[in-house]
Amino acid sequence: MDSVPLDELKTEENVAVVTSTAGQGEPPQNARDTFRALNAAAARGERPFEGTSLKYSVFGLGDSHYWPRPEDAGYYNKPSKDIDVRLEALGAQRSAPLGLGDDQDADGPQTGYKLWEPQLWKALGVDAVEVLEAEPEPITNENIKIASNFLRGTIAEGLKDTSTGALAASDGQLTKFHGIYEQDDRDIREERKNNGLEPAFSFMIRVRMPGGVCRPEQWLAMDRIADEHGNGTFKLTTRQTFQFHGVIKKHLKPSIQAINRALLDTIAACGDVNRNVTCCSLPDLSHLHTQVYEFSKKLSEHLLPRMAAYHEIWLDKKLVAGDAIKEFEPLYGPYYLPRKFKIGVAVPPMNDVDIFTNDVGFIAIADEQGDLVGFNVTAGGGMGVTHSNKKTYPRLADVLGFCTPDEVHLVAEKIMLTQRDNGNRADRKNARLKYTIDRMGLDAFKSEVESRRGHALAPARPFKFTSNIDKFGWTTGHNGKHHFTMFIENGRVQDEPGKDFKTGLREIARVHKGTFRLTANQHLILSDVEQGELALMKGLLAKYGLDNLSYTGLRLSSSACVAFPTCENVTEPEILAILRPMIKRYALERQPGEHFGDFTIRAGYISATKSGKEWYDGMGGEGPHRLVA
């Protein structure tokens, strides 16, 4: 909207305004100048559209439950309501009534749109016009994948284009398979727009490192890459790998090449494929960790797409020679998966990888001597939800049965192929494995997997989880080597005043002879420290404050996404306004041994949910602190 000044607007005869709602009833980014201009004209008592032929109609996109408190009801579709009233006050003529699209309706905003659109056509006098030509189908991710020549697209050409810091939109979808996301700094987006500049584009790069174990020389390589190609920091993610931010386009290729020189890669770290396989860190059960870690690597390698495009584009390998060699993906095919696919491996009693939130999980079962005998298999987990889209919901995985260690990779493969062939490719928001299982039915899904495997899974073995948090501090493994789990807040490895953690970890990596383990809670384990090196390691940890564990339990268990300035979601003040009174009540009113989640149900902030499909039942709570009137 900001591209049309008021002086141009009043020369128009018919204007249709469609606007979304941002934040607390605010206009979207690309309409804020227009709203300011309209408000300023009204404040001056002007009627710039009076006497013109300007006729208008407005349709708004909003969510009546986004801010569920009764006192916040005014935020719902506020920009559309405001501009509808403001245009009339400034002298324009309303041609059709205000239309409101509500995410809470059965068909989302389409419900309101289907009522508004015929009124608009009637006001324009074209309601009787017969349209013979069908509208073109929208270009979807499925179209992009099949037309990409096995994920090549025009990425190579886009990297050479110095006229923009971005890649083509379709290539932006394809680079995810290569472990790369395009982003921009929203904090300066408006300033750059006002100066006639494109957004400050940069890229996130995610490494594939199954099981989260790296050698000291690999850590040093990641540290260097962050300094030479990124924003000087890097993240430890909840999927036990490294993530770089602030990488501009010309540094993408050198970054990927540096990662590969460290004997790591970024293949399938993102995209509609199996992602980085996570594995229980478990430093005190060193022999068992070694076994499950090897299975994690085997799973990752077995389900890895071939991706010759990756080696051509980033590593300058030779192209496939025309039609002489037909490229193919034996597991994925040209369409790959309908959506991302995540696998975790847990070792009871620790559930630090949050096994039931993965598409597929393997729960290690040990005998009385502590030796691995096999895995219970889970499927259908995932906590992602598209806000207010009732076709989406969180879901915990179901336990399907038990398999022996030698068939783990094949069971994972058959589950993935069942999802490949049955997942929802028409609606990405409803395309994860959890929805496929609910649509097929658990028994039918399990039967399909077993049919592909050639035999039934054995009955699940007993197991028990007692914790999903990291065990901070020193511990000694069965092999006599020592491990220290340190607190890395939100997984951000950086230097800041009084906390030179990045420098400290670099100095440790230069002399450490063991390994580093990244945890699924975004912390770090200095692992496999020999007795003779213990004093040296303790000294370095103390020198840089990395041995400090004097934090509250809440802070030690905290986690965060990359967030500002690349995220578009709710703001920090809005989050704090909700959480502060809630946490205060928990501190004052909690019962002995009561966990925070149980408290929020008892207090009525949320309703108890025993399956994903019940997610929207009683939303807003049912007790004294209920948020919905």
Side-chain angles (χ1 to χ4, degrees):
M1 291 174 66
D2 287 347
S3 60
V4 183
L6 296 194
D7 286 343
E8 287 186 26
L9 191 62
K10 64 184 180 183
T11 65
E12 300 289 339
E13 292 187 13
N14 293 290
V15 172
V17 178
V18 179
T19 179
S20 60
T21 307
Q24 289 184 305
E26 300 158 15
Q29 282 276 354
N30 67 344
R32 294 184 179 180
D33 290 345
T34 299
F35 272 74
R36 291 191 194 102
L38 293 172
N39 291 335
R44 294 190 296 267
E46 299 173 0
R47 289 176 61 83
F49 307 131
E50 191 170 43
T52 70
S53 57
L54 178 62
K55 300 181 181 65
Y56 73 93
S57 183
V58 179
F59 181 78
L61 299 162
D63 181 348
S64 59
H65 284 183
Y66 190 87
W67 293 100
R69 298 183 303 177
E71 59 266 36
D72 294 334
Y75 298 144
Y76 167 61
N77 254 317
K78 188 174 184 295
S80 60
K81 295 174 182 176
D82 287 350
I83 198 168
D84 180 67
V85 171
R86 187 66 73 213
L87 287 172
E88 183 183 41
L90 296 178
Q93 303 173 57
R94 185 184 291 107
S95 59
L98 171 68
L100 299 178
D102 189 352
D103 282 347
Q104 295 296 322
D105 287 337
D107 201 19
Q110 284 291 329
T111 302
Y113 183 80
K114 289 172 184 175
L115 298 175
W116 176 75
E117 187 185 49
Q119 298 179 79
L120 177 65
W121 297 150
K122 185 174 182 179
L124 295 174
V126 295
D127 52 314
V129 175
E130 184 179 2
V131 179
L132 300 177
E133 184 179 346
E135 290 188 25
E137 291 291 327
I139 297 175
T140 67
N141 283 63
E142 295 302 307
N143 300 130
I144 293 171
K145 284 185 283 188
I146 193 63
S148 71
N149 188 18
F150 290 95
L151 307 179
R152 290 173 176 81
T154 57
I155 297 172
E157 293 82 356
L159 291 172
K160 298 175 183 176
D161 182 0
T162 59
S163 67
T164 174
L167 292 171
S170 59
D171 289 336
Q173 296 300 317
L174 297 176
T175 55
K176 294 177 183 179
F177 293 80
H178 300 252
I180 299 166
Y181 275 85
E182 183 177 292
Q183 301 174 326
D184 81 280
D185 188 338
R186 76 171 193 172
D187 288 347
I188 58 174
R189 191 181 293 163
E190 193 165 351
E191 176 188 343
R192 290 180 65 85
K193 180 182 175 182
N194 291 337
N195 291 328
L197 301 172
E198 71 175 8
F201 291 112
S202 65
F203 295 83
M204 179 274 283
I205 300 176
R206 187 179 296 154
V207 177
R208 183 182 69 94
M209 191 171 68
V213 177
C214 80
R215 299 189 303 276
E217 60 268 26
Q218 291 175 318
W219 181 278
L220 290 172
M222 300 303 106
D223 181 272
R224 241 181 347 263
I225 290 166
D227 288 341
E228 294 176 1
H229 304 295
N231 62 6
T233 73
F234 56 99
K235 289 271 287 187
L236 313 180
T237 78
T238 57
R239 297 209 66 79
Q240 297 178 294
T241 190
F242 299 107
Q243 196 162 284
F244 303 100
H245 290 271
V247 181
I248 60 175
K249 190 167 73 172
K250 71 178 182 179
H251 281 276
L252 279 175
K253 196 167 182 176
S255 299
I256 300 295
Q257 292 178 341
I259 291 168
N260 274 262
R261 284 195 296 272
L263 302 183
L264 295 169
D265 61 60
T266 66
I267 298 173
C270 320
D272 299 341
V273 285
N274 177 56
R275 304 281 187 94
N276 200 55
V277 178
T278 59
C279 166
C280 181
S281 302
L282 209 66
D284 46 347
L285 293 178
S286 48
H287 70 295
L288 201 52
H289 176 268
T290 300
Q291 293 179 70
V292 296
Y293 169 60
E294 291 302 323
F295 280 111
S296 300
K297 290 198 296 182
K298 184 177 182 179
L299 278 168
S300 181
E301 294 299 327
H302 183 70
L303 301 179
L304 195 66
R306 291 192 172 185
M307 278 189 69
Y310 178 88
H311 301 89
E312 293 169 10
I313 294 169
W314 308 109
L315 307 180
D316 297 325
K317 301 294 183 181
K318 189 176 180 181
L319 296 169
V320 174
D323 292 331
I325 301 175
K326 290 288 186 181
E327 184 174 359
F328 74 106
E329 285 285 359
L331 291 179
Y332 292 97
Y335 287 98
Y336 297 85
L337 298 180
R339 279 291 262 120
K340 59 186 175 183
F341 196 82
K342 297 181 178 181
I343 297 178
V345 184
V347 181
M350 293 297 296
N351 187 23
D352 52 337
V353 298
D354 233 352
I355 200 73
F356 295 105
T357 66
N358 285 267
D359 292 275
V360 176
F362 292 96
I363 302 170
I365 304 297
D367 60 19
E368 293 180 358
Q369 288 73 43
D371 294 321
L372 184 69
V373 295
F375 296 87
N376 283 345
V377 183
T378 69
M383 305 309 287
V385 176
T386 300
H387 186 76
S388 296
N389 182 338
K390 294 185 179 180
K391 295 178 182 177
T392 71
Y393 47 82
R395 187 186 191 278
L396 295 178
D398 294 291
V399 178
L400 299 184
F402 173 87
C403 71
T404 56
D406 61 310
E407 58 179 343
V408 166
H409 62 295
L410 297 175
V411 171
E413 174 192 306
K414 303 312 177 189
I415 294 174
M416 191 182 80
L417 296 183
T418 302
Q419 163 66 352
R420 181 197 67 186
D421 297 340
N422 293 277
N424 185 350
R425 293 183 181 270
D427 183 357
R428 285 184 64 80
K429 292 181 172 61
N430 196 250
R432 290 288 296 275
L433 177 64
K434 58 183 176 179
Y435 304 119
T436 304
I437 290 176
D438 281 348
R439 189 174 60 254
M440 293 178 65
L442 181 61
D443 291 341
F445 176 83
K446 181 182 176 184
S447 295
E448 174 66 17
V449 171
E450 292 174 332
S451 174
R452 289 172 182 255
R453 181 69 190 101
H455 63 80
L457 292 167
R461 306 282 182 91
F463 67 93
K464 183 179 181 180
F465 289 125
T466 60
S467 176
N468 64 353
I469 61 175
D470 293 334
K471 295 180 179 179
F472 294 98
W474 284 102
T475 186
T476 303
H478 286 190
N479 59 1
K481 292 184 180 181
H482 305 283
H483 315 268
F484 182 78
T485 304
M486 64 192 81
F487 175 65
I488 306 294
E489 190 161 28
N490 298 326
R492 177 69 72 186
V493 179
Q494 63 183 352
D495 285 340
E496 52 186 318
K499 296 180 181 179
D500 291 333
F501 289 174
K502 185 169 179 288
T503 297
L505 289 167
R506 184 191 312 125
E507 294 305 307
I508 288 171
R510 284 173 175 164
V511 296
H512 182 38
K513 296 181 175 63
T515 59
F516 290 98
R517 300 186 195 178
L518 282 61
T519 80
N521 291 309
Q522 296 182 280
H523 302 302
L524 182 65
I525 302 175
L526 178 64
S527 194
D528 301 312
V529 178
E530 298 281 359
Q531 182 66 34
E533 304 293 325
L534 192 56
L536 174 62
M537 291 297 112
K538 286 185 175 180
L540 286 171
L541 289 168
K543 177 180 178 180
Y544 292 99
L546 288 161
D547 62 345
N548 180 17
L549 301 175
S550 300
Y551 301 102
T552 64
L554 180 63
R555 190 166 183 180
L556 287 171
S557 299
S558 65
S559 184
C561 71
V562 59
F564 308 126
T566 56
C567 182
E568 292 287 349
N569 294 324
V570 66
T571 65
E572 183 176 334
E574 292 164 350
I575 294 171
L576 294 176
I578 295 170
L579 289 183
R580 275 191 175 128
M582 189 183 296
I583 294 172
K584 181 178 180 180
R585 285 196 182 107
Y586 175 55
L588 296 174
E589 302 173 13
R590 69 179 296 195
Q591 296 175 353
E594 185 176 40
H595 292 285
F596 182 68
D598 296 326
F599 164 76
T600 59
I601 294 172
R602 180 175 63 81
Y605 287 107
I606 61 173
S607 301
T609 302
K610 296 183 179 178
S611 74
K613 290 183 177 180
E614 299 174 8
W615 175 250
Y616 296 96
D617 297 342
M619 178 170 276
E622 299 176 331
H625 303 306
R626 187 171 185 237
L627 295 178
V628 180

